[in-house]
Amino acid sequence: DVQLQASGGGLVQTGGSLRLSCAASGFRFDDNAIGWFRQAPGKEREAVSCINLGDGSTYYSESVKGRFTASTDNVQNMVFLQMKSLKLDDTAVYYCAATVAPKLGCAGYIYGMEYYGKGTLVTVSS
């Protein structure tokens, strides 16, 4: 079974940093991609980032580009999202997700992915 678990959320002040982690299992890690999504209260889910686990190539939404960095540890089957210069608008529950389709990579990730793990809450305060 595909399992994804995000962790590392918390309370941080504006301008601060957090690093989220995603533990993934149940699929061949190197052949796939993991996306990060977030959902703020009263808002629709938003695609934030995606990383191809094979070559490490990354994609970011315009709202986080330059502030968030996705990375991967292919030995531990972990993906990370380093978030810097956090803003109030970054407050949301963050999820990691995957579509198990070898070679698909991050194509179309902005439209959603097949499996979502439990999220982790990030709260940015002023």
Side-chain angles (χ1 to χ4, degrees):
D1 291 351
V2 174
Q3 294 190 2
L4 300 155
Q5 177 66 61
S7 61
L11 177 64
V12 63
Q13 290 187 324
T14 53
S17 300
L18 275 178
R19 189 176 82 150
L20 304 184
S21 300
C22 174
S25 62
F27 60 95
R28 186 179 172 87
F29 202 71
D30 292 355
D31 283 348
N32 290 281
I34 290 214
W36 287 97
F37 296 78
R38 66 186 181 186
Q39 188 163 20
K43 295 187 176 181
E44 293 187 357
R45 185 180 63 205
E46 175 190 4
V48 172
S49 176
C50 186
I51 181 166
N52 280 309
L53 302 175
D55 64 11
S57 55
T58 53
Y59 304 86
Y60 301 97
S61 67
E62 286 300 319
S63 61
V64 307
K65 192 174 292 183
R67 300 188 298 120
F68 290 13
T69 304
S71 61
T72 178
D73 180 340
N74 287 36
V75 175
Q76 299 291 330
N77 283 16
M78 297 284 293
V79 172
F80 306 100
L81 186 67
Q82 179 68 51
M83 307 185 297
K84 299 180 180 180
S85 302
L86 285 163
K87 306 175 181 179
L88 294 175
D89 287 348
D90 294 320
T91 294
V93 176
Y94 284 72
Y95 303 87
C96 55
T99 296
V100 181
K103 309 305 180 185
L104 176 65
C106 289
Y109 86 97
I110 62 172
Y111 303 109
M113 300 183 91
E114 185 177 5
Y115 298 96
Y116 290 83
K118 292 183 179 179
T120 185
L121 176 62
V122 173
T123 303
V124 184
S125 65
S126 58

